[in-house]
Amino acid sequence: MTEPQVLRREFSLWSAFAFAFAFISPIVALYGIFGLALSAAGPSFWWGFALVFGGQFLVALVFAMLVSRWPLEGSIYQWSRRLLGTTYGWFAGWAYMWTLVIAMATVALGAAGFTANIFGVEDPSGTTLALIALGILLAGTAVNLAGRQALKIFMVGSIIAEVIGSVVLGTWLLLFHRQNSLSVLFSGGGPEVDLWTWLSGPFLLAVAFIGWSFVGFESAGSIAEEVHEPRRYLPKAVLFSLTFIALVVGYSSLAIILAIPDLDAVAEGAVADPVYETLTTALGHGVARPVEVMFVIGFLASFLALQTSASRVIWAYARDGALPAAGVLSQLRGPARIPVVAIGVTTVVGAALFGLSIVAGDIYSLMVNFTAGGFYLAFLFPLIGFLVVLLRRSWTPANFSLGRATLPVAAVAVVWAALQFLNIAWPRVVFEQRYLDWSVWIGIAVLLVLGTAILATVRSRIVEASVIEEVESRDELAGHP
């Protein structure tokens, strides 16, 4: 058996933080859910940010402990495998890998709409959007293939653009264009809806939408073997990225809520895009194009982080012999020693999804719905595995540990992630096409059947986890460049 290939460690703590920040992207997070959450529960949906952040911070604490123990490329796949075995880990990574690839395609399609507006294409057709998304996919792939230095430069640029776009614009709106008082945050469903009815219905739906905003902090672990001193830096990157994103998104969302000219019109669905409408009303239509450029930068940065994460999970699988054509997929090429073939696979799959969006109708909504539930499903694998190992008293803590608080934090994190997954996946009536309400379950069923078939063909060839850990440990101790 040949020894696994070794990645170059060219990322610092700042790079890992920037990577996770770009993955979540406050612009993508806010724009993607603001209108949906506001329509679902009114301005009081804003409190959902605090609830989701609290739950996700518990998840992040568990992931920080796991990445400190196992700083391996592939994150969720690697952690789950080492917690409860190869088959368990394989399905964890399978769910995570497909969630990343589908989210990548979804973000590219989202960026396509803004790109069309920037170039003056009004009411673009589905085919036009798919072709623009394909161009974004190819451009993003080129950046990824250029190496880690190009990736780092783009990530830093995106942080600058997004902080300006989120914090500076938010501050300007709060200071000079405030239209509503803070009391709107406590209006709930209005006088005709009692508190419990609002909390158990509209607010839960808003929380399901908000759940999409606070995923991606675990992505710092997806590039673990490319980061210097990962046991020291990655727990910080996981926790800092989630916290910073929560602050930026919560602040920007508050600013927009208080600046909306007509909250009643938004609640009635008369305003299709409350974020864009509020910005142009307050700042004038001259700001429209610069704002859209910042949106595109945010979407592109998120796309790059998603594609990088997906390709690294594929590479980690292939290195273990856990995918068909593993020998080709695990190759590292070029001066930067990056998984070129794995990146190419994400490009091909993304292009196929764009083609499917042309012929199969509203696949975009299907992909958006699945990815939100898919992330929480993937999170549940290592969370449950970690809790089981703790209850068996077989956990060995690493550099980052919560001591006696580890078990209660892990238990509450499992409960939170399970409830949020069920909240997102629950087939409540939201869409006219009923099958879209079942998006998460449809995706799970398809992946389960396909994954079971593929695992059966590769199970006997999967490399023992101890072999990979030994190579990674030698590399880290040697300070491999």
Side-chain angles (χ1 to χ4, degrees), residues 360-374:
D362 194 12
I363 192 173
Y364 178 76
S365 295
L366 187 68
M367 292 193 299
V368 170
N369 296 342
F370 171 76
T371 53

Side-chain angles (χ1 to χ4, degrees), residues 6-7 9 228-229 472-481:
V6 178
L7 293 153
R9 296 188 182 276
H228 295 289
E229 300 184 62
E472 188 277 334
S473 296
R474 287 206 311 266
D475 159 50
E476 189 179 349
L477 289 172
H480 197 283

